[in-house]
Amino acid sequence: MKKRILYAILIMGIACVVTSSVYSLNGQQDNIYSQKSNNVEVGVSPVHIYGMGPVPSNVKIEVTIQGQDNFSHVDILFSGNGHLSEAGNYSFTPRPFFTTYVSLPPDNSGNGGVLDVQVNNNTIQVPITVTGTYLNLLAEGLLYLGIGLICAFFLLQKFSLSRTWLLIPVYLFLSVFYGQRYDMYFLLSSGFRVIFGTSPYIPSANLLPGLQWTYPPGYIPWSYLVDKLYLLFHGFPGVSNTTLNFIGTEYGQPYGAWRSLAGFNLIVLYFLLKIPMVAAFFWTHHVLKKLSGSYNQKLWLINPLVVIVAVLWGQLDILAVAFMLQALLSYRSGYSGRAVLFASIGAAFKIFPALLIPFFVLTSKNKVRTSAGVLPVLFLVIAIYEFTGGITSSVYGLLFARSIPTFAGIFVSNGLTWQVMLPYLGIKSFPSLFLYFFVPAYLVLTVVSVMKKVRIEDYAILMFMLFFLSYNFVNPQYLIWVIPLMVITSREKWARNLSLLGLVFMILTYSYTYFMNPQISWHYSGSMVGQLEALKVYFLGSGATRAVIGLCSTILFAYMAFKLVRHEFFTSGNPPST
């Protein structure tokens, strides 16, 4: 009976999310007003606002202006209920592109009105309407009720599936409707850059700064193949380096790069681009069974955080995780050379599996032969770089982008780290703890771990915890690096806690509609749910929320690192209690 109730909860949760998603749909031509006048084009979205009470006056209306000639001043007025008020007045260095966000005045928000956008002696009037309804709140409520029910199923239900293949078509189907649209832009566009003879790694006349590929090059061949097939069977004669360069990138809008994908069949492309990620997700499950005998499958197969990162977002991390676990399986079987080979392949997608290679080498009998496992992948990576860009400048760009904690000379941080507090304290410059703390600690602890004969899984968890404590970007997808390691070492509570931590961060600080495929929700802040999600991010995704989550994350990472250090280096016996 309990099992039936829990599965009924899961079905209800899915139904709630699906129903809410219907009110999240927003096509490229939906809820937008676009007009061109005298070589100046103005786009405004949303122009139809839903809600009651204070909601309409808090909805952020995006105003985008693009001109053939430069302009240096924009004035935005709002008229409604017989009143005229200023919504925004901006002066800047001459440019052909500008984006800002405005809101309706509180006293006029219930009836709407007209936005007057004035630029270069042109005035473009944009009608704004307001529909008083509670349907948006109902749809938003269903979304989080559904997420809560799905999480309840994950926490309460014992899950074991002998026919894992039944989930493959389900997850492939889901993969086409969601994605991290900024990252998906790079997965898609990088193959086209190579096709058009442009290095995707280094900014150039054909590649705007901020749009370069800053990961290892392992995924580029798949992107190239997918884009080649797309051009062969679908065709898209308008695509070029120029059309892939979103002009807003030059003016502080790098995360809008995905907007240059207008005209692509993103349903097909999302499906093709994510095939390796879905395959890696299920291969990881297969290896986990081998490494642990039998494991609590819900911690991987239906773990909401893992499914979101690997299947829905399509992050490269899952490819590296799959090869990292394959490396652990080889190492446990006595094949250190193979372990180095598989860890090297994983590092060709995301660098973190490379942290295990010195441990594999130092604990092997034939260190030279074991080290040689790196060579095939090294030669392959060099070949990919040479074919798609150029080895020297590409590697330099990768190392610089991943080790220096600044963007345009200003310290930046994000995610599950205490360092997110620093910018709000007025700190614009901060040393790289990754370089000055993690690297020395990693070298020392690697030697000590080998001498102490620490288990490779415990060593890996400890290294990743120290990385999380010192790196200025700890995105929630990084947590799937350690979740399978915790499963292998019977630290299920740790795995659950990290999964819930990542989910809380996503729910509070990310917009659900942003992660929908742009083809079905282009203006992700334009739909009923999208407007409330934008408000949620504006209020809950603030510095205070991020600082609290970052601090709590740091405490959790430090606790886990402390438990590992105390057990592995100062005591002996069973794994530390979770």
Side-chain angles (χ1 to χ4, degrees), residues 177-499:
F177 296 108
Y178 298 92
Q180 214 289 17
R181 58 181 71 195
Y182 179 62
D183 289 351
M184 291 301 296
Y185 164 83
F186 291 100
L187 299 187
L188 168 60
S189 65
S190 297
F192 282 119
R193 301 289 187 189
V194 177
I195 292 171
F196 300 142
T198 296
S199 169
Y201 314 107
I202 303 297
S204 63
N206 294 322
L207 180 64
L208 294 177
L211 298 184
Q212 69 270 26
W213 181 273
T214 57
Y215 299 107
Y219 186 83
I220 297 292
W222 182 259
S223 176
Y224 177 86
L225 176 62
V226 168
D227 292 346
K228 271 286 190 183
L229 291 174
Y230 183 81
L231 290 177
L232 179 64
F233 291 102
H234 190 279
F236 192 64
V239 64
S240 67
N241 276 316
T242 301
T243 60
L244 290 172
N245 285 338
F246 174 60
I247 187 174
T249 303
E250 296 185 80
Y251 304 101
Q253 298 287 324
Y255 293 106
W258 59 269
R259 296 179 187 273
S260 64
L261 302 180
F264 286 93
N265 188 329
L266 296 179
I267 296 294
V268 171
L269 285 168
Y270 269 41
F271 173 78
L272 294 174
L273 290 167
K274 290 192 197 173
I275 287 176
M277 287 72 163
V278 176
F281 171 83
F282 285 102
W283 183 254
T284 300
H285 160 68
H286 172 72
V287 177
L288 277 174
K289 288 197 298 183
K290 287 191 172 184
L291 285 169
S292 60
S294 62
Y295 79 101
N296 189 348
Q297 294 184 13
K298 76 176 184 180
L299 292 173
W300 188 259
L301 284 179
I302 61 168
N303 185 326
L305 176 71
V306 176
V307 174
I308 288 171
V309 170
V311 177
L312 303 190
W313 287 7
Q315 294 291 293
L316 296 173
D317 302 74
I318 185 59
L319 300 174
V321 166
F323 283 104
M324 179 181 71
L325 290 191
Q326 188 65 46
L328 292 178
L329 181 60
S330 297
Y331 181 77
R332 277 194 177 186
S333 302
Y335 300 106
S336 298
R338 292 184 190 176
V340 170
L341 174 64
F342 285 121
S344 301
I345 296 174
F349 297 101
K350 292 288 285 277
I351 296 174
F352 65 87
L355 294 175
L356 304 185
I357 293 176
F359 190 99
F360 293 146
V361 173
L362 292 174
T363 55
S364 66
K365 294 180 180 179
N366 191 330
K367 294 176 174 52
V368 174
R369 183 177 179 180
T370 301
S371 302
V374 174
L375 296 179
V377 181
L378 180 62
F379 292 145
L380 179 60
V381 167
I382 291 174
I384 294 173
Y385 271 133
E386 285 299 326
F387 175 73
T388 59
I391 181 67
T392 305
S393 57
S394 300
V395 172
Y396 173 78
L398 169 66
L399 295 177
F400 183 84
R402 294 297 163 186
S403 62
I404 306 300
T406 60
F407 180 80
I410 300 175
F411 175 83
V412 291
S413 60
N414 188 47
L416 307 170
T417 170
W418 62 274
Q419 296 184 55
V420 296
M421 297 186 294
L422 298 178
Y424 298 100
L425 298 175
I427 299 175
K428 296 183 178 180
S429 178
F430 196 74
S432 172
L433 294 184
F434 171 75
L435 291 177
Y436 302 123
F437 168 75
F438 175 76
V439 172
Y442 166 69
L443 295 175
V444 172
L445 286 174
T446 297
V447 174
V448 175
S449 296
V450 171
M451 294 174 61
K452 285 276 191 176
K453 297 183 179 180
V454 174
R455 284 191 306 176
I456 178 64
E457 295 86 2
D458 293 330
Y459 163 80
I461 296 173
L462 177 58
M463 289 302 103
F464 290 142
M465 288 298 129
L466 293 180
F467 177 84
F468 296 161
L469 288 169
S470 60
Y471 202 51
N472 56 304
F473 271 78
V474 185
N475 294 316
Q477 58 263 32
Y478 295 179
L479 299 181
I480 75 166
W481 304 358
V482 293
I483 287 175
L485 299 172
M486 292 172 176
V487 170
I488 295 169
T489 56
S490 300
R491 296 184 175 97
E492 293 189 4
K493 187 176 180 180
W494 284 16
R496 285 196 302 271
N497 289 343
L498 287 186
S499 300

Side-chain angles (χ1 to χ4, degrees), residues 49 55-63 76-78 85-88 90 100-106 108-109 115 128 535 538:
I49 298 173
V55 171
S57 63
N58 283 289
V59 170
K60 302 302 176 184
I61 302 172
E62 181 182 34
V63 179
I76 303 175
L77 304 174
F78 178 80
S85 58
E86 187 169 76
Y90 311 91
T100 189
Y101 294 87
V102 299
S103 300
L104 301 182
N108 289 331
S109 63
L115 277 184
I128 305 293
L535 283 179
Y538 179 75

